[in-house]
Amino acid sequence: MPKRSPSSLNPRAPLVLDTRDLPRRPGALRTHRRVVPAPADLGVELISVPEGADLDLDLRLESVSEGVLVSGTITGPVQGECGRCLRAIDYSVVVNVQELYAYPDSTTDDTTEEDEVGRIQDDLIDLEPALRDAVVLTLPTNPLCREDCPGLCPECGVHWDDLPADHSHQEIDPRWASLSQLNRTEE
Ligand SMILES: [Zn+2]
Ligand SMILES: [Zn+2]
């Protein structure tokens, strides 16, 4: 009995690749260059690709005996917050993708689980799960505005960059201050 995917893919979805124009002859190649809007929640807690931002797909689809190998890069902007000083972080990432998608009823289809190797459904490839995995692997779990960000002074919350080198809060405790006053009057 042929395996049916519970939900069929929308060929017009931004991250769905159409393989119908790719000959099923190992070695056949197609390039796929397109700018698509980023899906929601693409990233990790402190840093992510804003929803709807331009994702630049520069991909190569190659026929192999068991399916289609998708490789290339996806470039997009990321925004987040420095884990030490909370300053905004804004840069662009290049994510490398290399993923095999098996033809239905190929040996790979029969011998692997769907979460190990992607599947081609109705000649379409859903790139989104692989993209999500790749982005999460690329983004830092602890983003910093710069490698050596010194963070904030824990006492006053001002960035160490904006404080003088001798900045400190080691003032005399008011109780000790009054005690030293007392000592002085006794003298
Ligand atoms: Zn910082
Ligand atoms: Zn301070």
Side-chain angles (χ1 to χ4, degrees):
M1 212 179 77
K3 283 179 233 167
R4 290 298 307 176
S5 161
S7 60
S8 59
L9 294 172
N10 172 6
R12 278 187 296 274
L15 290 166
V16 169
L17 308 177
D18 197 333
T19 69
R20 271 173 296 193
D21 66 342
L22 179 68
R24 280 200 178 198
R25 171 172 41 80
L29 276 178
R30 287 287 179 272
T31 53
H32 182 98
R33 303 184 91 156
R34 208 196 275 176
V35 176
V36 302
D41 305 316
L42 183 60
V44 291
E45 199 187 340
L46 289 171
I47 191 161
S48 61
V49 179
E51 185 178 355
D54 283 354
L55 287 179
D56 216 319
L57 312 188
D58 187 357
L59 302 171
R60 216 170 82 126
L61 278 64
E62 184 183 356
S63 264
V64 293
S65 56
E66 293 290 299
V68 173
L69 183 68
V70 177
S71 58
T73 57
I74 298 171
T75 310
V78 292
Q79 285 176 7
E81 224 169 53
C82 174
R84 289 188 196 147
C85 73
L86 310 179
R87 274 182 186 168
I89 301 177
D90 194 337
Y91 63 103
S92 88
V93 278
V94 180
V95 174
N96 291 301
V97 187
Q98 187 170 46
E99 200 75 18
L100 173 68
Y101 295 88
Y103 291 131
D105 305 311
S106 61
T107 313
T108 305
D109 182 39
D110 294 337
T111 57
T112 60
E113 295 298 325
E114 218 166 316
D115 56 0
E116 294 171 63
V117 178
R119 297 294 192 265
I120 297 173
Q121 304 172 33
D122 306 324
D123 297 317
L124 300 173
I125 287 172
D126 182 11
L127 192 66
E128 192 171 326
L131 171 67
R132 285 188 180 281
D133 290 351
V135 166
V136 168
L137 282 177
T138 305
L139 293 180
T141 44
N142 215 343
L144 297 175
C145 61
R146 62 172 205 262
E147 198 76 26
D148 61 347
C149 172
L152 307 175
C153 168
E155 292 287 321
C156 62
V158 175
H159 201 288
W160 283 111
D161 282 352
D162 302 329
L163 291 168
D166 63 350
H167 174 75
S168 90
H169 292 268
Q170 284 171 351
E171 281 156 24
I172 299 169
D173 189 298
R175 285 165 298 176
W176 293 111
S178 53
L179 205 64
S180 58
Q181 287 279 314
L182 209 67
N183 287 342
R184 203 167 301 145
T185 41
E186 280 175 4
E187 271 165 19

